[in-house]
Amino acid sequence: MSMAQYMSVFIDESKEHLQLMNDSLLKLEQEPEDIKIIDEVFRSAHTLKGMSATMGFTRIAELTHHMENVLDNIRTGKATVDTGLVDILFECLDTLNALVDEVIEGGQESTEVTELMEKLEGMTKGVSKEKTSKIPVKTQEVKKEEALVSGDSKLSMNFNEYEKELIVAGHYKEMKTYLIEVKLDEGCLLKAARTYMVFRNLEEIGEIIKSNPSVQELEEEKFDNSFVVAFLSNRPVAEIQKEVQDISEVRNVTVEEYIVTDIPEIKTEEKVVEKKAEVKTPAKTASKNDKPTEAVKKTATVRVDTEKLDALMNLVAELVINKTRLAQIGSEYNLQELSETLSHVDRVTSDLQSVVTKARMVPIETVFSRFPRVVRDLAKDLGKDIELIVQGKETELDRTVIDEIGDPLIHLIRNSVDHGIEKPEIRKETGKSTTGTILLKAEHEGNSVVITIKDDGKGLNEELIVKKAIEKGLISDDEAEKMSKEEKVKLIFASGFSTAEKVTDVSGRGVGMDVVRTKIEALNGSIEVLTDAGLGTEIKIKLPLTLAIIEALMVKLEDEIFAIPLANIVETIDIGKADIKVVQSENVVLLRGEIVPILNLSKLLDVDTNKPEIEDTNTVVIVKVGSKKIGLVVDVLIGQQEIVIKSLGKLFTGTKGITGATVLGNGEVALILDVLTLV
Amino acid sequence: MTENNLEKAKIIQIVGFKLNNEEYALEIENVQEIIKKVKTTRVPRSRKYVSGVINLRGIIVPIIDLKYRFSMSEQGYDDNQRIIILKINGISAGIIVDSVSEVIEIEEKQILPNPKQTNSDINSDYLKGVCKVDEERLMTLLNIEKVLEIKKHDN
């Protein structure tokens, strides 16, 4: 691996650990008593320390080192968790994030850490002074823990924090910890090979935590004739003994159970076990690999540029087209065998297509994970008490949608915190619980994903909205009178609208909701608001699973084929010449009481045709443009199909009425209409 | 030839093609591939010299009608017509030509400046010079970046 590759590993992993630390700190704030969470934070800090020290990023290493000291005091009971501590830890986290970002950008750490380190140091010192009397008691306990050896044992081993965690985790999985001493024959020639066999046999029935001498030394045969391994297993002593004894040239095996004292109570056992499995050792950057704990399974992943996935997608689509051509040849020449093979190819290609599509999907967790922190910080600044409930974070969406959805969501959540949820005293007065709740939920609904942001705050006052809208000249008095409640609420999405009485740096610059709506619509999504004054607001965002594929209606004009996105279509109808009236020299039709303009699509798109604009019977596609409807006259409706959207490229940006292109089954290109800019 | 002379004699590879009966050329770095002429899909409301788009292995590529661009007369289509797919600054585009002749190596000094007084309809911005291949043969070397720099030159 070159330095650059180490660097990308470092960046990826430190980002992961910082996110992990963020999650843990948020949990810690809720459950300050839970020592498990402290352990999680400690582990992340520890790993970061190791990685950054290896890479030579001293500030990160020093800061995490100081964090470790403070956290260690908590773990050993010398200090307790309070909000001040959590705040400082969050501060450290922000600084670490900044440092890592600096490393990413220029490779140099420049954010100052001394002040924070002094704060941390102050905490550790304060602790030792304040609680001097307690220390002797505690140290005794610590000693006992470190000498975690059964009373009359001959074998012993020292474990570091991480290894102790593994032992504890194993204990909850009902695995016992054994110390196994293996003595090889004096004349053993291939000591490393024998050792390897011992390890292999043991790995089959349990988990090796540590060995003495280290694995590396064992591999290099840097030991006499015996070594000791710490081993986790649920098998009885005799079986373990036999498993090792059966290997040739092993002279003597001693298995002793290692009695673990002081195992902390934990609530959910499985959860802890899971967490352990996720812990990554900094093996990739560490120079010494003395931890056989590598055996802990990881999900193997590879980071792939989305451009490569797009290219793959293109190639798959091309494969499908060529397969269709082959099928045509097969039927032309009546080649039965070819057709049979092709039906197999057909299945393979459609599987391939769905795998590639899935490969682009990312769980929405990547976006949601930012929000607990945002809500916490904001609520704290505003003196509000807010609980954020996140549901369905495993819901998957296309990478491109995920990348775009973060900002609008953060805006909506900020709105909920800032304008939605009331201050505790007001909530008390209105008989609500002082803690406000914001629900953030993602779920599948057919071919789309619905994201709901629901708060139990004061809700939106539609009369106030209308008043503001009239003041700002967005609507007239007359218009306001005719509006339904829903339409009034929708005014918050109009550009230049903000209900905030003063501009805070949180929200209320008057661009917010308008931008949110535009962004969601650009993603082919929709947004709606449900609100009850006094009870809360619910915002529902509906997004397509992927931007790459849409449902469209294919239409023909002379011999040109165009696709109209189904999302824009209201209905298709046949209209006779007699039903079309001319109003202000425009063709219109009265459709269920609504006047709908009728336009000839061929004329709009300059199609070379001799047909009259209006014929005796006209096939009309009714589309919605914003809140209005338009009827488009087409020659033939071909049918509905799923199409893959492709960009027309830079040379065509700004071409009105056309949003992209798709490749048809015969390899030719059909254009996708953009109804919004067509007229 | 001495070292010095070798350095001075910079060799350029050009791809020769025909529009009507005149010979033109492009520097080979700009050429991605040459394909047979296929049916293009017209893009409504686009510029007139854009013949349309084609599907090139899953990628949509715009095709430009050079004769229209250069206001040349149209002399009908035949089997020799090709599309030269260009890749310039990451943008792919194709140009329709009547036939592709050959790849020729020329020295830089064989490129002569444009004759000032021409009756050509082609905007002189689009030209880099005239390649004198031999005594009998002249090819107009196009400044294809300029030809494709649509925004600047189009109204």
Side-chain angles (χ1 to χ4, degrees):
Chain A
M1 269 211 274
S2 70
M3 197 60 190
Q5 281 170 301
Y6 278 125
M7 192 62 189
S8 74
V9 170
F10 170 76
I11 289 165
D12 287 347
E13 297 212 340
S14 46
K15 282 272 170 199
E16 252 168 55
H17 280 286
L18 289 174
Q19 184 58 48
L20 222 68
M21 203 187 277
N22 178 49
D23 295 347
S24 306
L25 284 178
L26 286 166
K27 269 194 273 169
L28 185 67
E29 203 171 34
Q30 300 303 314
E31 298 165 53
E33 300 300 315
D34 198 341
I35 207 80
K36 282 275 143 260
I37 302 173
I38 286 285
D39 283 346
E40 280 166 22
V41 182
F42 185 90
R43 268 200 304 274
S44 295
H46 183 77
T47 312
L48 264 174
K49 185 177 87 169
M51 289 192 303
S52 50
T54 320
M55 296 295 291
F57 300 126
T58 46
R59 289 189 187 184
I60 299 177
E62 277 175 35
L63 185 56
T64 42
H65 176 73
H66 279 81
M67 286 171 77
E68 259 186 46
N69 288 347
V70 171
L71 292 165
D72 202 44
N73 275 338
I74 300 169
R75 300 205 311 174
T76 50
K78 282 182 229 162
T80 48
V81 178
D82 54 30
T83 44
L85 175 87
V86 176
D87 283 346
I88 291 187
L89 288 176
F90 266 124
E91 229 177 291
C92 293
L93 178 65
D94 289 343
T95 311
L96 286 174
N97 262 320
L99 286 167
V100 171
D101 285 344
E102 282 159 14
V103 166
I104 294 169
E105 273 158 29
Q108 285 288 330
E109 306 164 287
S110 58
T111 305
E112 269 307 321
V113 292
T114 35
E115 199 185 318
L116 258 179
M117 284 186 343
E118 274 163 20
K119 271 193 206 171
L120 290 169
E121 216 159 294
M123 295 194 83
T124 38
K125 274 185 189 147
V127 164
S128 45
K129 266 180 207 160
E130 268 172 42
K131 308 201 175 175
T132 335
S133 57
K134 277 189 182 175
I135 286 173
V137 188
K138 291 289 176 191
T139 31
Q140 258 182 6
E141 269 176 38
V142 172
K143 262 186 192 162
K144 204 165 90 197
E145 201 186 330
E146 266 165 10
L148 285 169
V149 186
S150 54
D152 53 347
S153 151
K154 283 163 265 147
L155 302 174
S156 70
M157 195 176 266
N158 289 324
F159 294 105
N160 66 23
E161 293 306 326
Y162 176 70
E163 291 148 5
K164 279 186 206 159
E165 290 290 341
L166 285 173
I167 292 173
V168 173
H171 178 84
Y172 287 112
K173 274 195 275 184
E174 296 187 339
M175 285 163 103
K176 284 179 179 153
T177 311
Y178 297 101
L179 290 181
I180 306 169
E181 188 189 35
V182 182
K183 282 203 175 98
L184 299 175
D185 275 342
E186 293 286 343
C188 176
L189 286 175
L190 297 163
K191 288 196 287 187
R194 294 301 165 208
T195 320
Y196 168 74
M197 289 172 79
V198 172
F199 272 66
R200 194 196 55 192
N201 285 12
L202 286 176
E203 294 277 2
E204 274 171 21
I205 55 169
E207 224 176 275
I208 293 170
I209 301 172
K210 187 178 188 163
S211 72
N212 186 20
S214 73
V215 174
Q216 201 177 0
E217 285 166 319
L218 291 174
E219 276 172 3
E220 289 163 8
E221 302 199 351
K222 284 181 186 161
F223 65 107
D224 289 336
N225 282 313
S226 67
F227 57 90
V228 183
V229 292
F231 181 59
L232 270 178
S233 176
N234 51 9
R235 309 291 173 96
V237 175
E239 194 185 331
I240 298 169
Q241 183 127 25
K242 186 173 179 300
E243 200 65 49
V244 182
Q245 193 75 64
D246 283 355
I247 300 164
S248 56
E249 290 190 303
V250 169
R251 200 178 54 182
N252 192 10
V253 183
T254 321
V255 182
E256 267 178 23
E257 197 185 330
Y258 178 90
I259 307 297
V260 190
T261 53
D262 206 30
I263 288 183
E265 277 298 310
I266 48 167
K267 289 169 222 159
T268 46
E269 299 180 6
E270 275 163 40
K271 206 175 162 190
V272 172
V273 172
E274 253 177 38
K275 278 276 180 299
K276 294 293 169 301
E278 279 171 17
V279 173
K280 283 188 185 171
T281 51
K284 282 175 200 156
T285 45
S287 51
K288 260 208 289 181
N289 185 3
D290 58 352
K291 284 185 188 166
T293 47
E294 276 289 86
V296 179
K297 267 198 181 164
K298 296 174 198 165
T299 324
T301 53
V302 180
R303 277 162 213 268
V304 182
D305 194 334
T306 41
E307 263 179 37
K308 282 187 190 160
L309 287 177
D310 288 342
L312 195 56
M313 193 79 169
N314 276 340
L315 292 173
V316 172
E318 195 62 14
L319 193 62
V320 172
I321 290 159
N322 282 302
K323 187 214 69 201
T324 319
R325 280 182 195 154
L326 278 177
Q328 277 166 2
I329 295 168
S331 64
E332 249 170 61
Y333 293 92
N334 224 349
L335 301 168
Q336 188 58 32
E337 276 172 55
L338 180 65
S339 308
E340 277 163 20
T341 318
L342 279 174
S343 74
H344 181 66
V345 174
D346 194 18
R347 280 193 299 278
V348 176
T349 44
S350 68
D351 282 356
L352 194 56
Q353 205 157 14
S354 77
V355 169
V356 176
T357 316
K358 275 189 197 136
R360 292 182 51 93
M361 301 294 238
V362 183
I364 199 158
E365 187 175 2
T366 46
V367 178
F368 278 10
S369 60
R370 280 154 63 190
F371 299 149
R373 179 72 197 279
V374 171
V375 171
R376 174 203 175 266
D377 287 359
L378 251 181
K380 219 166 176 168
D381 287 351
L382 298 168
K384 291 178 182 178
D385 211 355
I386 297 172
E387 188 188 0
L388 176 72
I389 302 169
V390 179
Q391 288 176 1
K393 60 184 178 191
E394 65 288 337
T395 312
E396 290 192 325
L397 270 165
D398 191 273
R399 173 91 242 180
T400 34
V401 183
I402 292 274
D403 289 345
E404 298 293 324
I405 197 67
D407 289 343
L409 281 183
I410 228 158
H411 196 91
L412 293 173
I413 285 180
R414 284 180 159 181
N415 265 342
S416 280
V417 176
D418 194 16
H419 308 314
I421 306 280
E422 312 91 331
K423 296 215 171 205
E425 47 281 13
I426 297 169
R427 289 183 67 90
K428 212 171 182 181
E429 273 168 32
T430 50
K432 289 182 187 174
S433 118
T434 49
T435 308
T437 312
I438 297 175
L439 173 74
L440 178 63
K441 186 168 77 174
E443 63 195 325
H444 284 286
E445 199 183 282
N447 249 343
S448 20
V449 165
V450 176
I451 300 171
T452 311
I453 299 156
K454 190 179 175 182
D455 67 58
D456 64 348
K458 63 182 175 219
L460 296 168
N461 184 335
E462 73 262 18
E463 294 312 324
L464 216 64
I465 294 172
V466 168
K467 216 179 110 203
K468 275 268 155 83
I470 295 171
E471 266 174 35
K472 305 221 163 165
L474 298 172
I475 51 163
S476 67
D477 289 333
D478 288 352
E479 279 173 311
E481 255 172 58
K482 284 182 208 150
M483 285 177 132
S484 66
K485 188 192 163 190
E486 285 73 37
E487 283 171 321
K488 286 174 183 169
V489 172
K490 264 192 189 156
L491 283 171
I492 57 167
F493 294 119
S495 52
F497 187 92
S498 171
T499 51
E501 268 152 38
K502 58 179 180 197
V503 173
T504 64
D505 62 342
V506 179
S507 50
R509 283 184 213 90
V511 287
M513 292 303 256
D514 171 37
V515 172
V516 168
R517 193 207 58 200
T518 317
K519 195 87 188 217
I520 305 280
E521 282 175 359
L523 293 170
N524 278 330
S526 63
I527 183 164
E528 67 178 297
V529 192
L530 300 167
T531 186
D532 269 317
L535 293 176
T537 309
E538 182 174 352
I539 293 175
K540 278 193 170 197
I541 298 169
K542 200 169 176 181
L543 291 166
L545 272 185
T546 166
L547 291 181
I549 298 170
I550 58 161
E551 286 272 327
L553 178 72
M554 311 302 284
V555 300
K556 211 168 179 181
L557 308 171
E558 289 296 324
D559 60 349
E560 293 182 39
I561 295 173
F562 291 91
I564 307 175
L566 221 54
N568 300 125
I569 297 178
V570 184
E571 61 184 321
T572 58
I573 43 169
D574 283 336
I575 300 176
K577 198 172 187 175
D579 292 326
I580 295 174
K581 309 271 185 283
V582 180
V583 177
Q584 293 164 17
S585 68
E586 235 188 298
N587 288 319
V588 298
V589 70
L590 202 60
L591 201 66
R592 288 184 286 276
E594 203 177 334
I595 294 170
V596 179
I598 298 293
L599 299 163
N600 189 300
L601 193 56
S602 302
K603 202 179 158 199
L604 279 175
L605 298 173
D606 313 311
V607 175
D608 192 10
T609 179
N610 299 321
K611 286 182 187 142
E613 208 177 318
I614 301 293
E615 290 187 272
D616 289 343
T617 39
N618 303 281
T619 308
V620 179
V621 180
I622 309 284
V623 294
K624 52 174 184 275
V625 182
S627 56
K628 293 188 178 74
K629 284 178 188 165
I630 292 175
L632 299 171
V633 179
V634 300
D635 289 356
V636 180
L637 298 177
I638 297 173
Q640 185 182 324
Q641 74 182 65
E642 276 192 343
I643 56 169
V644 178
I645 304 177
K646 289 173 188 288
S647 161
L648 272 180
K650 285 182 189 138
L651 289 177
F652 292 109
T653 36
T655 306
K656 289 220 167 128
I658 308 290
T659 172
T662 190
V663 178
L664 299 170
N666 61 3
E668 280 176 20
V669 181
L671 300 174
I672 306 166
L673 298 185
D674 180 8
V675 177
L676 290 175
T677 57
L678 186 63
V679 186
Chain B
M1 226 188 268
T2 64
E3 284 271 317
N4 211 11
N5 278 340
L6 260 176
E7 251 176 36
K8 273 180 189 165
K10 199 180 160 196
I11 302 287
I12 303 172
Q13 284 192 311
I14 55 170
V15 179
F17 60 89
K18 276 186 179 173
L19 291 175
N20 290 345
N21 282 318
E22 284 177 55
E23 285 209 274
Y24 291 86
L26 285 170
E27 281 148 298
I28 204 162
E29 300 91 86
N30 297 327
V31 177
Q32 182 188 320
E33 61 189 288
I34 295 161
I35 58 169
K36 282 199 171 173
K37 187 157 182 286
V38 293
K39 184 174 170 269
T40 58
T41 301
R42 185 184 66 95
V43 180
R45 303 172 178 186
S46 63
R47 297 167 181 89
K48 289 279 179 282
Y49 57 80
V50 176
S51 163
V53 289
I54 61 160
N55 163 34
L56 184 73
R57 294 186 299 279
I59 296 162
I60 308 292
V61 179
I63 304 300
I64 284 154
D65 189 337
L66 269 194
K67 285 191 210 167
Y68 200 101
R69 184 83 170 128
F70 297 155
S71 319
M72 292 176 175
S73 63
E74 190 51 74
Q75 299 191 333
Y77 288 95
D78 65 49
D79 275 357
N80 289 326
Q81 288 198 322
R82 295 287 182 274
I83 293 175
I84 303 180
I85 306 286
L86 310 161
K87 190 149 198 174
I88 298 152
N89 304 330
I91 298 178
S92 289
I95 52 172
I96 303 173
V97 300
D98 284 339
S99 67
V100 175
S101 48
E102 67 214 292
V103 176
I104 308 164
E105 287 190 356
I106 56 162
E107 283 177 34
E108 206 165 31
K109 64 180 181 204
Q110 282 174 273
I111 304 174
L112 311 172
N114 262 336
K116 282 216 172 72
Q117 199 58 48
T118 57
N119 293 325
S120 167
D121 296 320
I122 304 175
N123 182 332
S124 59
D125 278 355
Y126 301 158
L127 308 177
K128 270 189 181 165
V130 177
C131 303
K132 192 178 167 206
V133 182
D134 51 46
E135 289 309 316
E136 301 287 297
R137 200 168 170 205
L138 295 175
M139 286 176 151
T140 311
L141 186 63
L142 292 179
N143 186 348
I144 200 70
E145 285 100 328
K146 283 269 160 61
V147 176
L148 295 183
E149 232 176 41
I150 287 156
K151 272 178 191 159
K152 272 186 195 167
H153 300 280
D154 200 69
N155 38 20

